[in-house]
Amino acid sequence: MGTHLSVHLRGSLAGAGPVVEAVFADLRRADELFSTYRPDSQVSAIRRRELSPAQAHPWVAEVAALCDEARERTEGYFDAWLPGGFDPSGIVKGWAAECAAARLARLPGVDYYLNAGGDITGRVATAGGTPWRVGVQDPGRPDAFLTVLELRDGGIATSGSAERGPHILDPHTGNAASELISLTVTGPALLWADVFATAAFARGGPDVERWVAARAPGYRVAAVVRA
């Protein structure tokens, strides 16, 4: 999926090795199916109109349905069906990370987090356990953090233009979103944190926090605006 992934565990790790191997096998399979960079992926076949989501692997059909739900929940600011063809990249990374990490949640007494290109899904297994501390990079200073967030159970996703430039489009206009520099969403699930980070960045606006809260209760937003 064009990103780096890592798994971090603490606790009783006996027997964790095969589970971690299965996590990465799931992620590699997701890349085989969903990558827009691989001509042999099923998403590439859909983009070439050689395959429909209904005919594809069940994972692809599931993600296509989630893309439709995301488009509705975000008033079209998240839209996987763009003029260039079907591109579920804005949802599939969080979806795949959460699905794979569900294996780690079944390890008794083990805290984990999975880092998918800076987007995090994690869990602290015990009520009194130390939360994970996740740094949010300062888009103006790659060697510094804007803040450090604590994570006990859920997801953290960030969208921005600092590293990749203006690559997030407003689906309503086709133009690159430029009002915000960075936007981080935290909440119960990485999948929807990722969706709303992308959608809210594309939308912008001084009311972006209220906009997300109205459509995704339980999710919080921190945005960096252009001066």
Side-chain angles (χ1 to χ4, degrees), residues 54-71:
Q55 299 168 323
H57 188 282
W59 287 7
V60 177
E62 178 181 347
V63 167
L66 286 168
C67 287
D68 291 340
E69 181 182 352
R71 179 170 52 192

Side-chain angles (χ1 to χ4, degrees), residues 73-96:
R73 289 183 65 178
T74 64
E75 298 180 332
Y77 283 100
F78 180 97
D79 192 348
W81 299 93
L82 297 173
F86 181 54
D87 185 355
S89 302
I91 201 171
V92 74
K93 182 173 67 171
W95 172 87

Side-chain angles (χ1 to χ4, degrees), residues 173-218:
T173 66
N175 298 325
S178 59
E179 183 174 335
L180 303 177
I181 299 174
S182 176
L183 185 141
T184 297
V185 176
T186 62
L190 174 57
L191 186 157
W192 291 109
D194 202 7
V195 164
F196 277 96
T198 301
F201 189 92
R203 178 185 183 274
D207 63 338
V208 67
E209 294 183 32
R210 292 193 299 273
W211 183 80
V212 171
R215 288 152 186 81

